[in-house]
Every structure is written in C-alpha cells, then in structure tokens.
Amino acid sequence: MATETVAEVPSTLSGVARVLVHAGKLSAKSAEALVQTAKERKSSFVGAVIAANAVSPADLAHTLSVALALPLLDLLAIDAEKLPRGIIDPKLAAQYQITVLGKRGNRLFIAGADPTDQEAVERIKFATQLQPEWVVVEYDKLARLRDAQNQGASETIEQLASMDFEFDVTEEAAEAQGADLASEVEDAPVVRFLQKMLIDAINMRASDLHFEPYEYNYRVRFRIDGELREMTQPPIAIKDKLASRIKVISRLDIAEKRVPQDGRMKLKFGSKAIDFRVSTLPTLFGEKIVIRILDSSSARLGIEALGYEKIERDRLLNAIQRPYGMVLVTGPTGSGKTVSLYTCLNLLNQPGVNISTVEDPAEINLPGINQVNVNDKAGLTFAAALRAFLRQDPDIIMVGEIRDLETADIALKAAQTGHLVMSTLHTNDAPTTLTRLMNMGVAPFNIASSVLLITAQRLARRLCENCKKPADYPRESLLRAGFKDTELDGSWKPYRAVGCSACTNGYKGRVGLYQVMPITEAIQRIILAEGTALDIAQQAHKEGVRDLRQSGLVKVRSGVTTLEEVITVTNE
C-alpha cells in the first residue's frame, strides 16, 4: 500500500479517510474511490472500506484508536443484555451505527466505528443533554451486537403488543367518536409506541409525559425527579394519529382541535391498573399533550416516607388528630402538597369518620372517602361544594385549594363549628400564608381562632445511594448557605452527586423539605395585631420552627441530598 505524508493527503478527504491515508493504510486514490462508492450506495465510508476488504475491521479500529487517542474496546467482552437501553432513540443509533455503553454523571459513552462523525456527536448531545465520549470498536463486532440488540428490541415490542393491555374506554365513548375516526387511530405502530412510552415512563418513575409537535420535528419528554428529559423524537408524521389515539382512550372529542381539553384514562395490564390525567393544548404545529401519571401508591405512603423530621412529624400528627380547626399546606405547583394531604387523610380514614374532599380534579381515588370534582360550568365551585358538605354531616373536609375570599370564609367557619378542615394555598412559606389570608379579606380573629398549623414544603432530589461521594466545600461556603459555626466540627461531610447507570445525574427519587409551624398563642397575638409575615417568622424561629432552608440543611448533613439542590429549591 502507498505511504504518503500529511502534505500528500488530498484536502477533499476528511474524517476516517484522512486518518487511513495518513497512516499508510490506504492510498489517496483508493480512499477517494471508496468515498465515491459510499456516496453512491448511501452507506458510511467505514462500511465501504470493510465491504471492499481494503482494511480489516481490527486494523481499522486500532488505527483510529491510536491516531485519535481514543480508547479501544473489544465488544466480545461485553454482555449485550447488560447494556443500557432507552437513553437515545433507536433510530438515531441506527442512523449513525452506534450503541450506548454506559453513562457516568453527564458523560455518555458511545461505541462506534467512526469517531470522526461530529454530526452524530452533536445530535446525541442535543437529544440527551449529555456529553458523548467515543469508544472505538470493530465494525463487524458492532454490527453483530446491534443485530442482537435489534432482535431483542423487536421481541420486546412484540411482547408489549401481546401483553394484556386494556384501556378503559366505554363502548358509548368509542361510538361517539365515529367509526371512521376510530379506525384511523387504531394504527398498530402508533398503538405500540404509545404503550411503550407509558410503560417506559412508569418504569423510569416519571411523573409526566410531554408529547410536543414542532414545525420540523416531534419530541417526547419525561419529567423525572422534577426535571424534564428528552426521550425520543418519533417521526413527525405520527403526531395527528398519536393525538387522536390518546384522545379516544381519554374520552375527549377527537374532532375538536381548536380548544384545550382535559380527560382521564386508565391502563390495565394483568391485575394492576394505573390512572393518567390527560391535557391537550392547541399549538402552532399541532396539539401538545401532557399526560400526568397518577400513582395511587404515593397516596398510601406512610408519613415517615415523606421526609418529615421527628419534631415536624409530631407537630403535624398532633394537629390532624384535633377534632376541629384548619391545617394548611402551602408551596408551589409540583411541591407534593396533594400527596401530603392524601397521606394525612389516609391516616384519618376510619369506618367511624365521614371524610369529604372537593378537588380540581380529584387526582387519586381514595376508597372510603367521598371525593367531588369541581365543575365551574355547572356551578359546582369550591364554595358550592363546601356548602353542600356542611349539610352532609362531615367530620373532616379537604378543600383542594383556597382561591378566593368566599371559599376561605366558608372553610374557616367550618373549622370553627366542629370540623377538621385541610386545604392548600400557593405561598412561599408558612408565615406568608397567614398574611395572604388577611390580604384576601379574611378577618384576623377568624384566622387566629381557626388555623391550627401551616406546613410549607418543597421537593428536593434525593442522592443516589450507589454513587454519591463525599464533597469538600470551603468552610465559608457552608456558613453562607446557613450552617452554624458549631455544626462544622468535622464530624460529618456533605455529599455530591456523581451519576451511575442506576440514577439520573447522581439523583434518584425526591425527598420533602418542610417548615411546620403550629399557631401558638404568641403567633395568634401577632395575627390579631395584624403583624407582618416577618413578625410571624421571627416568633416562629424563637419557638424552634425551622424554615425551608434550615430543613434542607438537615437533609444535607444526613447525606440525603446535596447543598446545591437545597440552595436551588429554597431560593426565593
């Protein structure tokens, strides 16, 4: 074979061709001919080289590894069954002839025969939000591994399609859609794709699925541990059929694409059933659909699993065991307020207790509890439902949210007349909840005499126990974050997120941060004097109530989460 210097390598060559010519494995003329062959056959240059027996797969891989200073891996030493799945779209992997070897932190290790393919790197980086790192492998061994993976994927799809899936759709709902529209969406690939997305979301502990159409592409994202992650980009041609399929099984109007719609669906497989809440939204390029997974098991969590420290748990349990009064849970959307309320209701749910809830909407079915959905169009508002509850001999009432003065007044009067009332408000912390009620127009004496306890909360990502590592922070940084000088005695160390195949960037699951503030006599006096949220916060601090940042620092000290995560979720 001809050996040429760098100067003799034609400028028209690039990537692998240039490396092989420079290394003396191919002549410039042979390389140019193979580039042309690859273009004509619409194949990769590496594939053309191997097909022509110009360079052996082993020699090619070794040459690229040495020239580009990249690691070389023998795929025969890899168990294909243990390789991670679902990190990148299979079509993307097939297009660039790559496979994922593993993930560590924000780095994604990719096995491929052409490490000079920058387009592949950029596409993978965009799709996964991870930094691809190439590992060189032999072309023929990679092809065999990918064939085995594709065979396994095909078997999985067939198994998925043959599983006893059943969407809970009434015959009346199906007939209402019209036979022609119903048959249009019973497209097997679309059905299998939707089923796979739902099962993947459940297995990955996702809380929401986002199906998002754009002008030139269509993407699916999952919200996992509070963060959205892009999972795949299916063909844009399926967007209308997929939207129609989801709307049919959610009992929505399949012909209405101009206004938002809300619905529910239930997926049954075997003896297990999972509920989903569906929301559609017309956008410029089609209907965006968000599916919320309503995990009924989260409502049955013990209060210990929510992350309350002992003193906070005892304060909450003491308040909900009272015969009457109001308990408020506050925090932004997605902070776990509903799960906290459902957990309390389950603790109180006994045969001798009459419990009624009004929600918008009721997310999880709670056996033994009378749940009512708000219906503003029909006149069934929070206030109207509360009035009806008071004629239904209730012991405990849960109001999904106090949104206006009318609802607040009825709820507070119910709390004053022998009922335990639980509800939520959207405020930043416990002290501002009291001033928010006053700003709504509620009389201070009604607040002081009715409210028993307020708990503010946030959700922080929980560190993965498999890969977390001790971290070294400057003492000044820990003090600025809120630790006291006496706490930094060297008896403990904070941890940092690392990342492994079992987690997402070093985190797995979430834990609650809580500010649990009982309304004591001293705080009642401040309310009656129409004191500010700052006055209430200072008094609560004197009484030993931790704010959200201090609650988070307790979790940092015990190695449950990271300092960065606590600072992020408690910065107001």
Side-chain angles (χ1 to χ4, degrees):
M1 293 184 186
T3 304
E4 304 187 20
T5 64
V6 175
E8 294 171 321
V9 178
S11 60
T12 55
L13 296 179
S14 61
V16 176
R18 194 173 184 85
V19 171
L20 292 178
V21 172
H22 182 268
K25 302 295 181 181
L26 286 178
S27 67
K29 186 175 180 180
S30 298
E32 288 178 325
L34 288 168
V35 167
Q36 187 60 33
T37 300
K39 286 181 180 177
E40 292 171 355
R41 296 179 180 176
K42 295 182 179 180
S43 67
S44 67
F45 175 75
V46 171
V49 170
I50 300 301
N53 291 319
V55 182
S56 71
D59 195 10
L60 174 60
H62 181 266
T63 301
L64 292 174
S65 174
V66 172
L68 301 174
L70 291 172
L72 177 64
L73 177 67
D74 183 0
L75 285 177
L76 292 180
I78 297 294
D79 183 353
E81 294 297 322
K82 294 183 178 179
L83 290 177
R85 296 175 183 269
I87 296 180
I88 64 173
D89 184 356
K91 288 188 177 180
L92 192 64
Q95 179 182 350
Y96 296 107
Q97 291 296 296
I98 57 174
T99 193
V100 176
L101 296 175
K103 181 170 74 75
R104 181 177 297 166
N106 68 338
R107 296 186 297 165
L108 186 66
F109 295 95
I110 300 294
D114 184 0
T116 65
D117 193 342
Q118 285 303 309
E119 181 183 329
V121 170
E122 292 303 319
R123 284 285 304 279
I124 295 165
K125 187 175 181 180
F126 175 78
T128 64
Q129 298 299 303
L130 299 170
Q131 181 60 49
E133 296 203 7
W134 215 280
V135 177
V136 181
V137 295
E138 295 165 48
Y139 183 87
D140 55 341
K141 293 179 180 177
L142 176 62
R144 287 197 292 272
L145 176 66
R146 285 192 47 74
D147 286 343
Q149 287 181 316
N150 291 338
Q151 178 64 28
S154 299
E155 291 171 357
T156 301
I157 291 293
E158 292 306 319
Q159 290 167 3
L160 192 64
S162 64
M163 285 179 68
D164 184 22
F165 279 104
E166 178 188 347
F167 286 101
D168 187 11
V169 186
T170 63
E171 291 182 9
E172 293 82 357
E175 289 172 3
Q177 304 301 332
D180 55 336
L181 289 172
S183 63
E184 177 189 343
V185 298
E186 289 301 326
D187 186 87
V190 171
V191 172
R192 288 202 301 268
F193 176 76
L194 177 58
Q195 290 176 346
K196 185 178 187 307
M197 288 296 98
L198 293 174
I199 296 302
D200 284 351
I202 292 166
N203 290 336
M204 297 175 73
R205 300 172 291 102
S207 60
D208 302 86
L209 298 84
H210 292 241
F211 297 88
E212 302 170 314
Y214 297 97
E215 186 172 8
Y216 301 112
N217 66 305
Y218 189 73
R219 71 176 178 181
V220 180
R221 294 192 291 174
F222 293 175
R223 187 175 293 280
I224 302 171
D225 295 338
E227 289 193 338
L228 277 173
R229 291 180 58 195
E230 183 172 320
M231 304 310 299
T232 185
Q233 289 195 15
I236 194 169
I238 76 166
K239 66 176 183 178
D240 292 330
K241 286 186 177 181
L242 184 60
S244 297
R245 171 66 179 168
I246 293 172
K247 288 163 77 173
V248 164
I249 58 182
S250 305
R251 306 178 189 180
L252 302 178
D253 185 351
I254 194 174
E256 180 57 77
K257 301 180 180 180
R258 300 165 299 173
V259 296
Q261 297 187 67
D262 294 298
R264 295 174 75 97
M265 64 186 184
K266 180 177 289 187
L267 176 63
K268 300 176 182 177
F269 50 104
S271 59
K272 189 173 183 180
I274 297 177
D275 290 303
F276 302 86
R277 191 176 73 203
V278 179
S279 172
T280 71
L281 179 70
T283 68
L284 287 176
F285 304 107
E287 289 180 284
K288 175 181 177 180
I289 299 176
V290 176
I291 300 178
R292 165 69 58 88
I293 300 175
L294 304 177
D295 185 3
S296 59
S297 63
S298 64
R300 293 190 294 270
L301 288 174
I303 197 166
E304 295 80 8
L306 299 183
Y308 285 93
E309 298 296 327
K310 185 179 185 307
I311 187 170
E312 297 163 345
R313 183 173 67 247
D314 291 345
R315 287 171 179 162
L316 179 60
L317 291 175
N318 179 61
I320 65 174
Q321 296 296 339
R322 301 273 288 275
Y324 59 88
M326 177 177 281
V327 174
L328 294 171
V329 180
T330 183
T333 300
S335 60
K337 299 187 298 295
T338 301
V339 171
S340 293
L341 286 174
Y342 280 2
T343 300
C344 292
L345 289 177
N346 274 324
L347 290 173
L348 299 170
N349 189 10
Q350 303 294 331
V353 179
N354 180 18
I355 303 177
S356 297
T357 76
V358 53
E359 304 168 67
D360 186 20
E363 294 194 358
I364 297 172
N365 178 37
L366 299 174
I369 294 176
N370 307 291
Q371 294 174 273
V372 175
N373 275 333
V374 166
N375 187 340
D376 288 329
K377 290 182 180 178
L380 182 55
T381 61
F382 280 113
L386 273 173
R387 289 193 189 93
F389 285 171
L390 294 177
R391 295 190 291 271
Q392 292 275 319
D393 186 30
D395 296 303
I396 299 170
I397 296 172
M398 195 269 272
V399 185
E401 183 184 350
I402 292 178
R403 297 177 178 173
D404 51 48
L405 176 59
E406 183 183 17
T407 305
D409 271 338
I410 299 171
L412 285 164
K413 287 173 183 173
Q416 292 170 340
T417 55
H419 309 94
L420 179 65
V421 179
M422 300 182 188
S423 188
T424 70
L425 273 174
H426 287 281
T427 56
N428 289 331
D429 57 17
T432 55
T433 304
L434 295 168
T435 55
R436 166 77 176 134
L437 287 171
M438 286 189 271
N439 291 337
M440 288 171 65
V442 180
F445 65 85
N446 279 334
I447 299 172
S449 62
S450 305
V451 180
L452 302 174
L453 176 138
I454 302 171
T455 174
Q457 63 184 70
R458 300 288 187 278
L459 289 177
R461 290 180 295 171
R462 188 188 292 268
L463 273 167
C464 173
E465 293 295 330
N466 293 330
C467 62
K468 68 180 184 180
K469 301 290 183 186
D472 290 316
Y473 291 97
R475 187 182 183 87
E476 294 74 18
S477 298
L478 296 174
L479 290 171
R480 279 199 304 272
F483 283 106
K484 297 176 182 176
D485 193 65
T486 54
E487 293 178 301
L488 306 179
D489 56 5
S491 62
W492 61 278
K493 266 199 168 187
Y495 284 84
R496 61 182 175 87
V498 177
C500 66
S501 59
C503 66
T504 304
N505 298 327
Y507 298 96
K508 187 174 182 180
R510 291 193 285 179
V511 65
L513 311 181
Y514 302 95
Q515 178 187 29
V516 182
M517 186 179 79
I519 307 303
T520 61
E521 290 184 4
I523 292 177
Q524 286 177 336
R525 286 194 291 272
I526 295 173
I527 295 169
L528 292 170
E530 299 186 25
T532 65
L534 180 59
D535 297 329
I536 297 169
Q538 289 174 343
Q539 179 59 38
H541 179 72
K542 291 178 184 176
E543 296 174 359
V545 175
R546 297 191 189 101
D547 62 25
L548 288 166
R549 172 62 64 84
Q550 291 166 341
S551 178
L553 296 181
V554 172
K555 300 291 191 295
V556 172
R557 184 167 180 172
S558 58
V560 174
T561 189
T562 61
L563 184 60
E564 292 87 353
E565 183 71 5
V566 167
I567 291 172
T568 299
V569 301
T570 59
N571 267 342
E572 302 299 346

